[in-house]
Amino acid sequence: MAYDHRSIEAHWQRYWDEHDTFRARRREGRPKLYILDMFPYPSGAGLHVGHPEGYTATDIVARYSRMKDIDVLHPMGWDAFGLPAEQYALQTGTHPAVTTQKNIATFKRQLKSLGFSYDWSREVDTTDPNYVRWTQWIFLQLFKKGLAFQDLVTVNWCPLLGTVLANEEVIDGKSERGQHPVERRPLRQWMLRITEYADRLESDLEGLDWPRGTLLMQKEWIGRSEGATVTFRIQGHPESFEVFTTRPDTLFGATYCVLAPEHPLIQTIVTDAERSAVTAYVAKAKNRAERDRAASKQKTGVFTGAYALNPVDDKPVPIWIADYVLMSYGTGAIMAVPGHDGRDWEFAKAFGLPIVEVVKGGNVSEAAYTDSEDGELIHSGLLDGLKPPAAKLRILAFLEERGLGTKKVQYKLRDWVFSRQRYWGEPFPIYFPVTTDGDPRTCAHTVHFDQPIAVEESELPLRLPDLEDFKPGDDPAGPLARAVDWRFFQKDGKWFARETNTMPQWAGSCWYYLRFVDPTNASAGWSPEAAKEWLPVDLYVGGAEHAVLHLLYARFWHKALFDLGFVSEPEPFKRLVHQGLILGEDGEKMSKSRGNVINPDDIVKAHGADVVRLYEMFMGPLEAVKPWQSTQIQGVVRFRDRAFTVGSRTTTDSIDAATQRLVHKTIKKVGEDIDRLAFNTAISALMVLVNHLQPQDPVPKEAARALALLVSPFAPHLGEELWSRLGHAQTLAYEPWPTFDPALVTEDTIELGVQVNGKTRGTVRLQKDADADVARALAEADGEVIRFLAGKEVKKFIYVPGRIINFVVG
RNA sequence: GCCGAAGUGGCGGAAUGGUAGACGCGGCGGAUUCAAAAUCCGUUGUCAGCGAUGGCGUGUCGGUUCAAGUCCGACCUUCGGUACCA
């Protein structure tokens, strides 16, 4: 009897819907699990095979946990603001809201067709005014707390496209789209003071059950480093400049200084002889994206003609300009110690600058010696003979005494540029006073950006105006600036102007996990009770591309909300796992242009949802990057069909010992594998069970029951179908997960490898806990082993019960 | 450049420092069939050998260990991130 996946899967999906099977419920005193997926951006392309990968993984854990009588919150929603909808609107004139709703409908249909056990009553949409309202509300809390402020930020401005571009959209100073020139230009932006949380964002990483690499990346991104600022006076000028260094101990080895091309002192100190070269270099560097600058192997730079005075000995050192020094880190100026810093060394080599050794231990004519713990200071006056850590303390004391430097903790983390000059985002709930002679919509006017005013919380949400034209235009204020009737309003006879920037897509995704605990609350983003019931998120699964930005931004918001008393846990996501990228059949990243995109709909149609789920979980470890292979699908189709055939046979109460052992071993293995998210090996164990049962007809009832229950988290439609065929009227979603008898999962006798000098030469079968003499006697009797031991002296005999026997012979 | 991850048969992969290659795909052989598909059974790292069996094998080079895919060091390659794609 063939398995008709179409009707069976449709039947069970209808059943779950009608019975509200997966509605989250919280019972007093029960354990809970909040299992969260990174919610998708509902793109026009529809679901990608990468989505069901992570979503199946969490669904397996959710279904398994319900069967273990744990209260489960497993929600889904839409991260629906964003650029593609706006760009589509630009091309077609369709309002982004329309496109977005259409795409959401498609995504929802697709996700439902895969049988995920979401509590759909909690669905959220970041563009829904009822959601935007609370995004804006959180922004206002940040604003009132002084964490949101405005600043001038240098951005990639493309005058022809009329828009700000991401670094990756700028290639060699030209826009990726259209090859138009791009200039670096300061623009008024809203910023969030994430740097205020740098310390805690770093220290609280400890104790999170996250991938080690992700923790390291966040730590590195925050980039805490302890060092000092040192003041350098400039020869023949009243001005001085500060540098930040992590190695003040090497100050005697500073043979030149470097300013970032944007450094404000450049025009003051440059000599006439060097002026034209400097101006040309600065102009060129100015329009290079920071990433280009940091990535280039070849160091470039130019001499200013000016000299700085080393504070330790007043010796003049040349001041250079180079784009490997970034204005956005530290003070935008460095003291260069080529003997003990790799980049300074390369620069000095390239420009023939002197390299002085001040820490013994390496060979500075070959490479910089960068060890900051070991070595001995030389050529360093008062520091001579010290080790670097001691030298640091000594020089700091010296500098502080003279007011020439001080201890300083520096972070790489920068404040977060939080505004975008786009249409399809949350409007800022902020307005400004306007000075005008008449009606600012038609008359000349001045907007006082330095006096931002918060919109009353009771007036939220502040909705987007309806626009016909979403083009950015030539006004860097963004498209909302053209909605003059929305932008300008009168209050108490005075004119005001709304902020016309919008928030970035991050805003909505920074707190959606909070909304899920209380999604329909109309008087708050969430209630403290609901938050206590479900937070923190126990398992969060999503792509590694979010390792830093999204996960750091969300942690930052969470901590700010924690400080304000709106949540009671300092961290939002307890356990984090990244699913690996699924590549195309050609081993390349899936993309429309390569034509290697697999549409999950096609696989569902041809083979069923359970097959998509089983295949994606069987492909390999969840976290591994792995290529799609259509030919492999056949394997899980066979498994699914065979499991159905075997599981729907008539059953018998009798069971042979070997089958019983295997059933119990499988229960153990599948449970343990789900716990460690090793779904590929869990499915493999289920295949072994089914293969074992294949020749048995009738099939033992105990085995058939276990099969239906164990397979159900992976292939829920199949599981339910088998369960109902076993005579059950109810769903198995809350059926207790089967337990195993420990006595039945261990063998009495085992086969053990016998090695001679570490090479396996034979095997012996013995009691699991046999003692060494018995093991040795058995091993020495093995035909192969005899040959390899013949005529040799056994120097050592190693027996690790249950593991190995090894003869070391001479 | 910097930060992070990964390299195992023809392919996807398995393996608490302990018999490398579970499970699956593909291949080969067989059963079934008028024939095929589907299904079922067997076999399959590689080289040498009729065979028993032996040599070689987890990106490269070196090290630790009775024993290394696994631990340590250096390197190579691929992938992710690099702050306005999210």
Side-chain angles (χ1 to χ4, degrees):
Chain A
M1 166 185 31
Y3 182 80
D4 179 5
H5 66 81
R6 278 193 191 83
S7 62
I8 290 174
E9 293 186 347
H11 170 259
W12 288 109
Q13 285 168 19
R14 210 178 316 119
Y15 176 98
W16 296 326
D17 261 349
E18 283 167 3
H19 292 78
D20 227 353
T21 305
F22 304 116
R23 183 179 288 269
R25 55 195 176 137
R26 192 75 188 91
R27 296 163 301 172
E28 191 80 56
R30 298 295 313 169
K32 66 93 185 173
L33 273 178
Y34 183 176
I35 301 166
L36 182 66
D37 293 303
M38 287 187 187
F39 64 164
Y41 171 73
S43 78
L47 211 63
H48 178 274
V49 287
H51 292 114
E53 189 193 11
Y55 298 168
T56 303
T58 51
D59 199 57
I60 290 166
V61 178
R63 288 176 177 272
Y64 167 72
S65 301
R66 288 190 200 97
M67 294 170 83
K68 298 204 112 181
D69 205 23
I70 295 167
D71 290 352
V72 170
L73 175 58
H74 188 41
M76 181 43 77
W78 319 107
D79 187 16
F81 276 122
L83 214 46
E86 181 168 318
Q87 267 157 5
Y88 185 76
L90 273 172
Q91 288 161 20
T92 63
T94 316
H95 195 283
V98 174
T99 321
T100 299
Q101 287 315 308
K102 202 179 123 221
N103 293 348
I104 286 175
T106 305
F107 264 68
K108 189 168 176 181
R109 175 188 62 72
Q110 290 185 300
L111 290 181
K112 286 207 150 194
S113 81
L114 283 160
F116 295 129
S117 63
Y118 294 121
D119 177 354
W120 283 107
S121 73
R122 291 178 185 251
E123 178 179 357
V124 306
D125 164 3
T126 56
T127 66
D128 182 338
N130 291 320
Y131 187 93
V132 169
R133 175 179 178 188
W134 301 109
T135 308
Q136 292 173 331
W137 177 85
I138 295 172
F139 175 82
L140 286 183
Q141 310 313 308
L142 300 177
F143 176 65
K144 288 171 186 167
K145 210 180 168 228
L147 290 171
F149 63 103
Q150 300 170 83
D151 200 2
L152 280 179
V153 180
T154 305
V155 296
N156 305 310
W157 173 254
C158 179
L160 270 158
L161 292 173
T163 179
V164 177
L165 297 174
N167 280 334
E168 70 156 24
E169 297 173 296
V170 182
I171 294 162
D172 293 327
K174 299 252 164 57
S175 65
E176 192 181 23
R177 268 182 305 141
Q179 306 281 301
H180 307 302
V182 174
E183 52 188 67
R184 304 271 298 162
R185 162 172 175 174
L187 211 58
R188 181 186 63 90
Q189 303 280 4
W190 279 95
M191 308 284 291
L192 295 186
R193 216 180 290 279
I194 190 171
T195 51
E196 191 159 302
Y197 282 77
D199 241 331
R200 284 160 64 193
L201 286 169
E202 191 207 62
S203 58
D204 286 356
L205 287 171
E206 210 160 318
L208 292 181
D209 183 6
W210 284 23
R212 202 179 49 97
T214 303
L215 293 172
L216 283 170
M217 272 198 277
Q218 290 225 347
K219 197 176 158 142
E220 188 61 37
W221 187 265
I222 295 163
R224 179 192 161 92
S225 56
E226 289 181 20
T229 53
V230 181
T231 306
F232 279 71
R233 285 177 299 122
I234 303 167
Q235 199 170 46
H237 287 272
E239 290 90 353
S240 61
F241 62 93
E242 281 195 337
V243 304
F244 172 75
T245 176
T246 55
R247 296 295 305 275
D249 51 308
T250 62
L251 190 48
F252 285 88
T255 55
Y256 61 102
C257 284
V258 185
L259 304 181
E262 299 85 355
H263 201 283
L265 271 180
I266 290 173
Q267 287 312 313
T268 316
I269 63 169
V270 65
T271 58
D272 290 339
E274 307 294 339
R275 189 172 298 275
S276 65
V278 165
T279 308
Y281 183 80
V282 168
K284 210 173 145 197
K286 202 187 100 175
N287 282 327
R288 265 183 101 186
E290 250 181 34
R291 195 185 323 173
D292 277 359
R293 283 169 55 170
S296 59
K297 258 183 182 148
Q298 195 61 46
K299 294 271 181 293
T300 65
V302 63
F303 179 44
T304 60
Y307 290 83
L309 300 173
N310 190 326
V312 285
D313 53 13
D314 276 343
K315 266 196 205 145
V317 295
I319 302 175
W320 283 66
I321 297 168
D323 63 8
Y324 78 97
V325 174
L326 304 177
M327 200 59 217
S328 52
Y329 179 70
T331 60
I334 62 159
M335 61 177 222
V337 185
H340 306 283
D341 179 278
R343 283 167 309 172
D344 297 346
W345 190 90
E346 280 170 29
F347 190 84
K349 276 282 172 197
F351 292 96
L353 292 158
I355 299 172
V356 173
E357 181 179 48
V358 291
V359 186
K360 265 206 298 205
N363 178 0
V364 299
S365 60
E366 292 290 319
Y369 175 70
T370 57
D371 196 320
S372 61
E373 295 297 320
D374 226 20
E376 181 193 332
L377 273 285
I378 52 170
H379 306 136
S380 294
L382 73 159
L383 306 179
D384 278 352
L386 296 173
K387 281 191 163 194
K392 266 181 205 173
L393 296 176
R394 176 80 63 89
I395 192 74
L396 269 170
F398 174 90
L399 292 169
E400 279 180 354
E401 223 166 84
R402 288 162 180 74
L404 290 170
T406 181
K407 206 172 154 178
K408 164 97 178 164
V409 175
Q410 180 70 44
Y411 295 93
K412 271 196 208 124
L413 185 67
R414 313 202 288 253
D415 279 328
W416 175 12
V417 181
F418 192 66
S419 47
R420 300 291 183 269
Q421 294 70 46
R422 314 258 190 215
Y423 173 73
W424 193 228
E426 299 89 345
F428 282 87
I430 292 285
Y431 57 94
F432 308 95
V434 173
T435 312
T436 175
D437 293 335
D439 185 333
R441 290 172 296 183
T442 50
C443 298
H445 58 267
T446 309
V447 178
H448 298 283
F449 290 114
D450 55 338
Q451 297 166 43
I453 303 163
V455 170
E456 283 298 318
E457 285 180 14
S458 59
E459 288 171 28
L460 299 179
L462 172 63
R463 292 171 187 252
L464 280 169
D466 255 322
L467 278 192
E468 292 285 309
D469 173 15
F470 313 101
K471 248 193 242 83
D474 49 11
D475 187 346
L480 292 186
R482 289 197 303 274
V484 288
D485 290 329
W486 175 86
R487 184 182 188 192
F488 295 104
F489 65 96
Q490 265 181 306
K491 200 167 149 187
D492 304 329
K494 286 185 202 140
W495 280 100
F496 295 93
R498 297 192 185 283
E499 174 59 77
T500 58
N501 285 342
T502 52
M503 299 187 202
Q505 197 173 347
W506 304 116
S509 62
C510 266
W511 73 282
Y512 71 111
Y513 63 95
L514 291 170
R515 188 60 174 170
F516 278 139
V517 306
D518 198 5
T520 54
N521 194 328
S523 57
W526 60 92
S527 73
E529 297 76 41
K532 277 209 187 79
E533 278 185 346
W534 291 110
L535 291 179
V537 172
D538 296 283
L539 174 65
Y540 193 24
V541 175
E545 66 273 20
H546 296 291
V548 181
L549 297 181
H550 159 66
L551 287 164
L552 194 66
Y553 293 154
R555 291 182 61 222
F556 162 50
W557 276 36
H558 192 90
K559 287 189 181 309
L561 292 167
F562 173 80
D563 288 350
L564 289 162
F566 294 114
V567 292
S568 49
E569 300 261 348
E571 284 287 332
F573 313 121
K574 210 154 89 181
R575 183 181 182 196
L576 171 74
V577 174
H578 301 303
Q579 85 276 13
L581 203 64
I582 296 180
L583 305 172
E585 305 226 35
D586 52 4
E588 302 283 333
K589 204 169 167 174
M590 282 193 197
S591 74
K592 237 192 230 165
S593 58
R594 282 208 188 84
N596 60 354
V597 176
I598 303 284
N599 183 346
D601 266 357
D602 297 340
I603 319 294
V604 172
K605 218 172 272 168
H607 302 293
D610 285 342
V611 164
V612 173
R613 299 170 57 116
L614 285 167
Y615 171 61
E616 293 209 10
M617 292 302 98
F618 188 61
M619 286 174 88
L622 179 62
E623 283 153 288
V625 177
K626 42 211 179 277
W628 185 272
Q629 285 188 300
S630 293
T631 54
Q632 289 274 339
I633 293 173
Q634 203 44 239
V636 292
V637 171
R638 271 183 207 135
F639 165 68
R640 197 261 326 261
D641 290 348
R642 212 178 281 175
F644 174 68
T645 309
V646 166
S648 39
R649 284 182 186 149
T650 45
T651 58
T652 166
D653 285 334
S654 70
I655 184 165
D656 65 279
T659 302
Q660 193 178 33
R661 278 184 177 280
L662 184 61
V663 167
H664 283 250
K665 276 186 179 171
T666 308
I667 292 170
K668 177 168 191 275
K669 171 90 176 141
V670 171
E672 286 172 355
D673 280 357
I674 293 177
D675 287 336
R676 60 190 184 102
L677 311 185
F679 307 117
N680 54 333
T681 50
I683 293 169
S684 158
L686 289 166
M687 286 173 167
V688 172
L689 177 64
V690 168
N691 289 345
H692 178 86
L693 295 175
Q694 165 71 29
Q696 304 190 26
D697 192 1
V699 75
K701 190 166 194 166
E702 187 184 350
R705 272 183 60 98
L707 177 61
L709 295 169
L710 294 182
V711 85
S712 70
F714 305 88
H717 311 84
L718 171 67
E720 294 275 22
E721 186 65 21
L722 290 177
W723 191 244
S724 81
R725 280 164 191 254
L726 285 168
H728 302 277
Q730 301 280 317
T731 172
L732 50 53
Y734 295 92
E735 201 61 34
W737 186 255
T739 53
F740 61 89
D741 178 351
L744 287 174
V745 298
T746 47
E747 303 287 349
D748 303 334
T749 68
I750 51 164
E751 198 154 277
L752 205 58
V754 181
Q755 301 181 330
V756 178
N757 283 346
K759 283 207 161 130
T760 304
R761 297 303 182 183
T763 58
V764 290
R765 176 160 278 285
L766 42 65
Q767 289 290 311
K768 180 171 53 118
D769 47 4
D771 61 31
D773 293 342
V774 174
R776 180 163 186 167
L778 277 167
E780 280 173 341
D782 182 88
E784 283 309 306
V785 177
I786 288 171
R787 288 188 7 179
F788 283 91
L789 293 182
K792 305 220 173 90
E793 183 202 349
V794 177
K795 288 186 173 158
K796 197 168 174 186
F797 173 73
I798 289 148
Y799 170 56
V800 183
R803 295 271 173 246
I804 202 75
I805 294 169
N806 190 9
F807 292 94
V808 183
V809 300

